Amino acid sequence: MKLRLTRSFSAGIAKIAVAGLAAGLLFGAASAASAMVWSGDRPLIRTLDMAGSGVFDEFDGPAERAEFRHPAGVLVLGDGSVLAADSDNHRIRLIRDGEVSVFAGIPVSAVFDEAGLPAGALNDGPAELALFWNPAGLAADKAGNVYVADANNHAIRKISPSGEVATLAGNGVLGHRDGPGGEALFHYPTDVAVDDEGNVYVADTLNHAIRKITPQGEVTTLNALSARAVEVYEGVVAPAGGYADGPLTEALFNEPSGLAIDAKGNLYVSDTGNQRIRYIDFAAGTVTTVAGGGELEANALYVEGAYADGPAAEARFNGPKGIAAAPDGGLFIADSLNHAVRYLKDGRVHTVAGHPGGSHGHRNGFDEEALLNYPADVAIDASGDLIVADMLNNRIRKIEFYSLPEGWTSTGKIRMLLNNREIAAESPPEIRSGRTLAPLRTVAEAAGYTVEYENGEVTLAGEGIRVKLTVGVTEASVMDANGGSTAVQLDAAPYLRGGATYVPVRFLAELAGFHVDWHDETATVILRK
């Protein structure tokens, strides 16, 4: 049986949407991706929960208590609200002002399937009476219409600003056929994107095709269809996608599941089964691979997934899904089976959030501390931060990008920041053997310690902890609230200079629960908490 890779959505630059069923058009602001602050090869970020308790169910109300069943797509509204395609609840949810409510779809399912889950169906009409079946990708046009890739209905749905749901293309029957919208057939479409002319592009996943729906409702297939077949079990053969760059009409895809239109009006494609990011240049009529790789074996449904950052041609993905194009030309990628969010820019791929290579779960925090579980989609909000459909965590997450204070540039000296505020030091920090050391009182006060000096020893008292240091000695004593003592080796010994005692910044800050990073461009030590 062929695996269905249910996916998410993307849309690209500052996605457009309505702020409510009867609202007018609102535009999101530009992404702050170009202003990312980097430490090494990763941007400084913080991941937190936006909505969802993690419980696999359906509940509206306060965002932290809301319940989702496998959210698969997200779309940012101009007022900062977010639409989420709540796939296994078969409805579109609205996250606004800390509350979760139903945007479209019957809010209480009266019919359950054989697994005891809400059953999906196809029904047009007022949003509160409409029925969906595993909705995934979301997008919107300039008139404020919201489009839904209604995957298991094999249809593209349209929600008007007045709250009417209509089937734009497809009719609930799977297959492949071009023509007028109601006569066209799709096979598990999982994403949509809309250009400035009102053309709707569809990632027709199990047809391995990119489809186009004109404003007049005519559906066409843009690429060649794969003729591959794979024996998935003995005697059981399934149709499979292929891989070929070149002229668009001859190009092959393998379960494409994410779309994003860039500033030029061209289309990025998350080619999930090929573990690649592809690019359709409409003016040139070509398809190229812009990131990812791997061999598609003759008797395999998919290219084997992997993980690697670095040059785009050498980078590797594992189930890339939702994508979002940023105004700076970068592309954010929900790398689902690597449980990470990746970023493609200037021919290189970087990890933004998550622990790729198998580590997954739910944990908030800074940079690599955070854990995701099958991120299915990403969208960019008005602040340039990312909204993530964290599918198997049944949550909507937010990734905030750290920003330096306005006008912060290199001064030729080492400086320190506590979050976005400069830490004033009686004398500048120094680097010795690759370690940053700063005047003790400066670091201690920033980290919330009180300081006591006695006979060459220094005792720092913080919340539930005491630290004893000795000038010239690399061993420190750390005492907990219960009186227990642990000897800890410092990476540099404290020393005296100009009447100040210099200590390793990272050691003391991390003991106090701060996350410490180095920004090389401005020679800044950044402490975040």
Side-chain angles (χ1 to χ4, degrees):
M1 182 176 181
K2 190 173 175 73
L3 174 67
R4 285 181 173 174
L5 296 176
T6 60
R7 157 15 283 86
S8 69
F9 135 74
S10 86
I13 296 174
K15 300 175 185 178
I16 305 167
V18 290
L21 291 176
L25 181 66
L26 293 171
F27 292 86
S31 164
S34 59
M36 285 183 189
V37 177
W38 297 77
S39 181
D41 203 42
R42 292 183 66 145
L44 301 187
I45 58 102
R46 180 178 69 147
T47 301
L48 60 155
D49 292 336
M50 183 178 188
S53 64
V55 174
F56 180 73
D57 210 325
E58 193 278 331
F59 176 73
D60 289 327
E64 68 275 9
R65 294 175 53 205
E67 296 166 355
F68 296 87
R69 285 188 171 104
H70 295 158
V74 282
L75 174 68
V76 176
L77 309 181
D79 65 351
S81 304
V82 172
L83 291 184
D86 192 7
S87 183
D88 282 337
N89 277 319
H90 314 298
R91 57 187 63 104
I92 311 302
R93 312 280 289 281
L94 174 68
I95 306 166
R96 175 188 289 159
D97 298 330
E99 294 283 325
V100 176
S101 60
V102 175
F103 185 82
I106 294 177
V108 178
S109 296
V111 180
F112 294 84
D113 63 19
E114 56 194 27
L117 299 176
L122 177 62
N123 186 59
D124 290 338
E128 66 273 14
L129 298 178
L131 293 171
F132 299 86
W133 193 355
N134 293 131
L138 304 170
D141 64 17
K142 289 183 175 180
N145 298 294
V146 174
Y147 297 87
V148 182
D150 197 4
N152 244 331
N153 274 323
H154 314 291
I156 306 304
R157 315 290 292 283
K158 178 180 178 180
I159 307 172
S160 73
S162 63
E164 286 291 316
V165 178
T167 299
L168 177 69
N171 54 28
V173 178
L174 70 85
H176 178 271
R177 184 168 64 207
D178 288 338
E183 299 177 13
L185 298 179
F186 298 84
H187 193 179
Y188 211 79
T190 56
D191 201 12
V192 284
V194 188
D195 68 15
D196 289 342
E197 305 303 318
N199 297 298
V200 179
Y201 296 94
V202 180
D204 192 8
T205 302
L206 294 185
N207 275 323
H208 314 291
I210 308 301
R211 315 285 291 278
K212 178 181 177 180
I213 309 171
T214 67
Q216 293 74 37
E218 192 71 18
V219 178
T220 56
T221 299
L222 301 183
N223 61 287
L225 297 183
S226 173
R228 288 180 72 232
V230 171
E231 187 178 32
V232 290
Y233 303 108
E234 186 175 354
V236 178
V237 177
Y243 170 69
D245 281 337
L248 175 56
T249 55
E250 300 174 14
L252 295 174
F253 294 89
N254 190 351
E255 300 200 1
S257 61
L259 302 176
I261 294 176
D262 70 2
K264 298 176 181 178
N266 293 320
L267 193 66
Y268 282 102
V269 179
S270 186
D271 194 10
T272 305
N274 281 321
Q275 312 293 0
R276 287 167 165 87
I277 305 300
R278 316 281 292 280
Y279 186 73
I280 300 176
D281 186 321
F282 290 114
T286 58
V287 176
T288 55
T289 296
V290 293
E295 294 298 321
L296 182 58
E297 301 294 338
N299 200 40
L301 287 174
Y302 316 116
V303 172
E304 186 174 349
Y307 166 77
D309 279 339
E314 300 172 16
R316 293 295 179 264
F317 301 93
N318 194 0
K321 295 205 165 207
I323 50 180
D328 68 346
L331 186 77
F332 293 101
I333 303 156
D335 192 9
S336 64
L337 290 172
N338 274 324
H339 310 291
V341 174
R342 316 284 290 281
Y343 178 64
L344 168 63
K345 177 77 189 312
D346 297 331
R348 294 190 68 85
V349 174
H350 309 266
T351 296
V352 171
H355 273 261
S359 296
H360 62 277
H362 172 260
R363 186 170 66 211
N364 291 319
F366 294 113
D367 307 335
E368 68 278 1
E369 293 174 349
L371 292 177
L372 305 171
N373 194 355
Y374 201 92
D377 195 19
V378 288
I380 303 170
D381 72 8
S383 300
D385 296 326
L386 293 181
I387 308 301
V388 181
D390 196 8
M391 179 183 274
L392 295 188
N393 274 322
N394 299 302
R395 286 176 165 95
I396 306 301
R397 312 285 290 281
K398 185 174 185 178
I399 297 174
E400 295 180 339
F401 291 97
Y402 175 80
S403 59
L404 294 165
E406 187 174 354
W408 190 264
T409 58
S410 176
T411 63
K413 296 181 179 180
I414 299 171
R415 292 179 292 171
M416 295 191 295
L417 289 170
L418 176 57
N419 294 326
N420 296 91
R421 178 177 58 83
E422 184 172 8
I423 303 171
E426 64 256 41
S427 53
E430 299 179 348
I431 294 180
R432 285 197 176 188
S433 301
R435 306 299 181 185
T436 303
L437 295 96
L440 171 62
R441 190 170 298 280
T442 299
V443 179
E445 290 179 354
Y449 293 103
T450 59
V451 185
E452 300 173 4
Y453 294 91
E454 185 177 354
N455 299 325
E457 290 188 339
V458 183
T459 302
L460 299 96
E463 186 176 344
I465 192 171
R466 291 173 65 84
V467 183
K468 184 171 290 187
L469 303 169
T470 304
V471 172
V473 178
T474 57
E475 187 174 279
S477 177
V478 179
M479 295 157 280
D480 60 31
N482 299 319
S485 179
T486 303
V488 178
Q489 198 71 22
L490 304 181
D491 54 12
Y495 61 88
L496 294 173
R497 178 183 291 278
T501 302
Y502 277 71
V503 295
V505 173
R506 184 176 295 275
F507 169 74
L508 291 185
E510 290 183 347
L511 275 181
F514 287 82
H515 196 84
V516 184
D517 288 287
W518 170 257
H519 186 235
D520 193 59
E521 185 180 342
T522 59
T524 304
V525 180
I526 301 171
L527 282 63
R528 291 177 289 160
K529 190 174 184 178

